[in-house]
Coordinates of all heavy atoms in Angstrom, one line a residue:
S986 N 116.8 54.9 143.7 CA 116.9 55.9 144.7 C 118.3 56.2 145.1 O 119.2 55.3 145.0 CB 116.0 55.6 146.0 OG 116.7 54.5 146.7
P987 N 118.7 57.4 145.6 CA 120.0 57.6 146.0 C 120.5 56.7 147.2 O 121.6 56.2 147.1 CB 119.9 59.1 146.6 CG 118.8 59.7 145.8 CD 117.8 58.6 145.6
K997 N 129.7 50.7 142.4 CA 131.0 51.3 142.9 C 131.1 52.8 142.4 O 130.8 53.1 141.3 CB 132.2 50.5 142.4 CG 133.5 51.0 142.8 CD 134.7 50.2 142.1 CE 136.0 50.8 142.5 NZ 137.1 50.0 141.8
L1009 N 136.7 71.3 134.4 CA 137.5 71.7 133.3 C 138.4 70.6 132.9 O 138.6 70.3 131.7 CB 138.3 73.0 133.6 CG 137.4 74.3 133.6 CD1 138.3 75.4 134.2 CD2 136.9 74.6 132.3
L1010 N 139.1 70.0 133.8 CA 140.0 68.9 133.6 C 139.2 67.7 133.0 O 139.7 67.0 132.0 CB 140.8 68.5 134.8 CG 141.7 67.3 134.7 CD1 142.8 67.6 133.7 CD2 142.3 66.9 136.1
L1053 N 126.1 92.5 107.4 CA 125.1 91.4 107.7 C 125.7 90.2 108.3 O 125.1 89.5 109.1 CB 124.4 91.1 106.3 CG 123.6 92.2 105.7 CD1 122.9 91.7 104.4 CD2 122.6 92.8 106.6
T1059 N 127.1 87.8 115.3 CA 127.0 88.3 116.7 C 125.7 87.9 117.3 O 125.6 87.6 118.5 CB 127.2 89.8 116.6 OG1 128.4 90.2 116.0 CG2 127.1 90.4 118.1
L1066 N 124.8 82.6 124.2 CA 125.3 83.0 125.5 C 124.2 83.3 126.5 O 124.3 83.1 127.7 CB 126.2 84.2 125.4 CG 127.6 84.0 124.7 CD1 128.4 85.3 124.6 CD2 128.4 83.0 125.6
H1077 N 116.7 70.5 130.8 CA 117.4 69.6 131.7 C 116.6 69.5 133.0 O 116.4 68.4 133.5 CB 118.8 69.9 131.9 CG 119.7 69.5 130.8 ND1 121.0 69.0 131.1 CD2 119.6 69.5 129.5 CE1 121.6 68.7 129.9 NE2 120.7 69.0 128.9
K1082 N 113.0 66.8 136.8 CA 111.8 66.8 137.6 C 110.9 65.6 137.2 O 110.3 64.9 138.1 CB 111.0 68.1 137.4 CG 111.5 69.3 138.3 CD 111.1 69.1 139.7 CE 111.4 70.3 140.6 NZ 111.0 70.1 142.0
F1098 N 131.9 79.2 132.3 CA 131.2 80.1 131.4 C 129.9 79.5 130.9 O 129.7 79.4 129.7 CB 132.1 80.6 130.3 CG 131.6 81.9 129.7 CD1 131.8 83.1 130.5 CD2 131.0 82.0 128.5 CE1 131.4 84.3 130.0 CE2 130.6 83.3 128.0 CZ 130.8 84.4 128.8
F1100 N 125.6 78.3 132.2 CA 124.5 78.3 133.1 C 124.3 76.9 133.6 O 124.0 76.0 132.7 CB 123.3 78.9 132.4 CG 122.1 79.1 133.3 CD1 122.1 80.1 134.3 CD2 120.9 78.4 133.1 CE1 121.0 80.3 135.1 CE2 119.8 78.6 133.9 CZ 119.9 79.6 134.9
S1126 N 121.6 72.7 118.2 CA 122.8 72.7 117.3 C 122.4 72.1 115.9 O 122.7 72.8 114.9 CB 123.9 71.8 117.9 OG 124.6 72.6 118.9
L1128 N 119.3 71.2 114.6 CA 118.2 71.9 114.0 C 118.5 73.3 113.4 O 118.1 73.5 112.3 CB 117.0 72.0 115.0 CG 115.7 72.5 114.4 CD1 115.2 71.6 113.3 CD2 114.6 72.6 115.5
L1140 N 119.4 86.0 109.0 CA 118.9 84.8 109.7 C 119.8 83.6 109.4 O 120.1 82.7 110.3 CB 117.5 84.5 109.2 CG 116.8 83.2 109.9 CD1 116.8 83.4 111.4 CD2 115.4 83.1 109.3
F1142 N 123.1 83.5 108.9 CA 124.3 83.6 109.7 C 124.0 83.4 111.2 O 124.8 82.8 111.9 CB 125.0 85.0 109.5 CG 125.5 85.2 108.1 CD1 125.0 86.3 107.3 CD2 126.4 84.4 107.5 CE1 125.4 86.5 106.0 CE2 126.9 84.6 106.2 CZ 126.4 85.7 105.5
L1159 N 128.6 66.4 126.5 CA 129.2 65.4 125.6 C 130.4 64.7 126.3 O 130.6 63.5 126.1 CB 129.7 66.1 124.3 CG 128.5 66.6 123.5 CD1 129.1 67.5 122.3 CD2 127.6 65.5 122.9
K1180 N 128.0 68.2 144.5 CA 129.0 67.2 144.1 C 128.3 66.3 143.1 O 127.1 65.9 143.2 CB 129.5 66.4 145.2 CG 130.5 65.3 144.8 CD 130.8 64.3 146.0 CE 131.4 65.0 147.1 NZ 131.8 64.0 148.2

Side-chain angles (χ1 to χ4, degrees):
S986 68
K997 177 184 178 182
L1009 285 171
L1010 178 60
L1053 299 181
T1059 304
L1066 288 176
H1077 278 219
K1082 278 287 188 181
F1098 205 72
F1100 187 67
S1126 280
L1128 184 60
L1140 182 57
F1142 296 121
L1159 295 171
K1180 179 193 298 184

